[in-house]
Amino acid sequence: MGKETAKDKLRKDIFRQKKEFTPLDLQNKSAEVFSVLEITGTFQDAQNIFIYNSLSDEVSTLDFINRWAKEKQFFLPVVTGNDLQFVKYEADKKFVVSDYGIKEPEGKAFVEYDKIDMIIVPGVAFDRKLNRMGRGKGYYDRFLPKLKALKVGVCFDFQLLNSIPFDKNDVKMDMIVSENDLIW
């Protein structure tokens, strides 16, 4: 194995910090993150939203999706090869667990990207200059340039740093939301 990069070190550090919280702690923090997002005019105005189906250590999305599902349309990612596609979320839709352990909806990919108002993006770490660091596979960095929609990174306070390592392929966010912060 090659030398550990600054990104690798930061990922390990963040994962270590996440282990200090119980699942209930993270659930409560997730509710706080989304309560900050919900008061923004951009969220209030958004009708069609790409969002992720959270893993247990990410800002949890399911309660948020279900709370707003009658008023807004949500689309969840499905990994296809090296790419992301998004499929409309419906509560009664069948889900398949991916190789990464993520529940992915079955159905036809939604490709009318110009109709999407907002994409809510997970990340391992973000910084105050709107940089995002993911898990290292590059799915979002390859997908995000296809959209004109507002890119919103969501994270816990301890994942929001003054500065993180980034490179030219990393796509910046338009907004970052944590429990106690909203950065434009």
Side-chain angles (χ1 to χ4, degrees):
M1 284 259 311
K3 195 162 85 40
E4 188 176 55
T5 66
K7 283 186 174 186
D8 295 333
K9 285 191 176 93
L10 182 54
R11 282 187 186 102
K12 280 184 180 167
D13 185 45
I14 296 287
F15 287 123
R16 197 171 39 252
Q17 288 183 60
K18 283 180 182 179
K19 286 183 173 47
E20 296 172 15
F21 298 96
T22 67
L24 184 60
D25 290 337
L26 293 179
Q27 191 68 39
N28 290 335
K29 286 176 173 297
S30 297
E32 289 178 42
V33 171
F34 281 114
S35 71
V36 173
L37 178 61
E38 287 167 344
I39 61 173
T40 65
T42 48
F43 173 74
Q44 293 292 325
D45 294 342
Q47 285 306 303
N48 297 306
I49 301 171
F50 280 177
I51 191 169
Y52 62 98
N53 203 359
S54 50
L55 292 167
S56 61
D57 67 344
E58 293 177 321
V59 173
S60 178
T61 56
L62 198 57
D63 288 348
F64 170 74
I65 292 169
N66 286 328
R67 186 164 57 253
W68 289 96
K70 286 186 174 63
E71 294 173 47
K72 299 177 185 293
Q73 289 195 72
F74 291 98
F75 301 84
L76 296 174
V78 174
V79 173
T80 309
N82 284 325
D83 296 312
L84 288 181
Q85 295 184 323
F86 282 77
V87 174
K88 189 172 188 298
Y89 169 78
E90 291 162 35
D92 57 356
K93 187 173 271 190
K94 188 168 184 262
F95 286 82
V96 177
V97 178
S98 76
D99 295 344
Y100 296 105
I102 300 168
K103 288 183 178 170
E104 298 179 337
E106 289 188 325
K108 198 162 138 305
F110 183 84
V111 292
E112 295 176 67
Y113 297 153
D114 57 329
K115 290 198 164 87
I116 298 303
D117 302 304
M118 175 181 285
I119 180 167
I120 297 174
V121 184
V124 173
F126 296 87
D127 72 19
R128 297 183 175 281
K129 299 175 208 106
L130 300 169
N131 292 303
R132 170 189 173 270
M133 187 179 80
R135 292 179 183 258
K137 302 278 192 245
Y139 289 112
Y140 279 94
D141 291 319
R142 285 189 296 276
F143 182 78
L144 289 171
K146 300 175 185 177
L147 294 181
K148 289 187 178 72
L150 187 79
K151 297 178 285 300
V152 180
V154 291
C155 63
F156 301 116
D157 284 341
F158 64 85
Q159 293 175 283
L160 180 58
L161 309 171
N162 286 329
S163 140
I164 61 171
F166 64 93
D167 58 49
K168 66 180 186 339
N169 298 326
D170 294 334
V171 176
K172 282 189 177 244
M173 299 291 100
D174 298 309
M175 178 194 285
I176 296 172
V177 183
S178 72
E179 299 107 286
N180 294 297
D181 253 308
L182 175 64
I183 298 166
W184 283 89

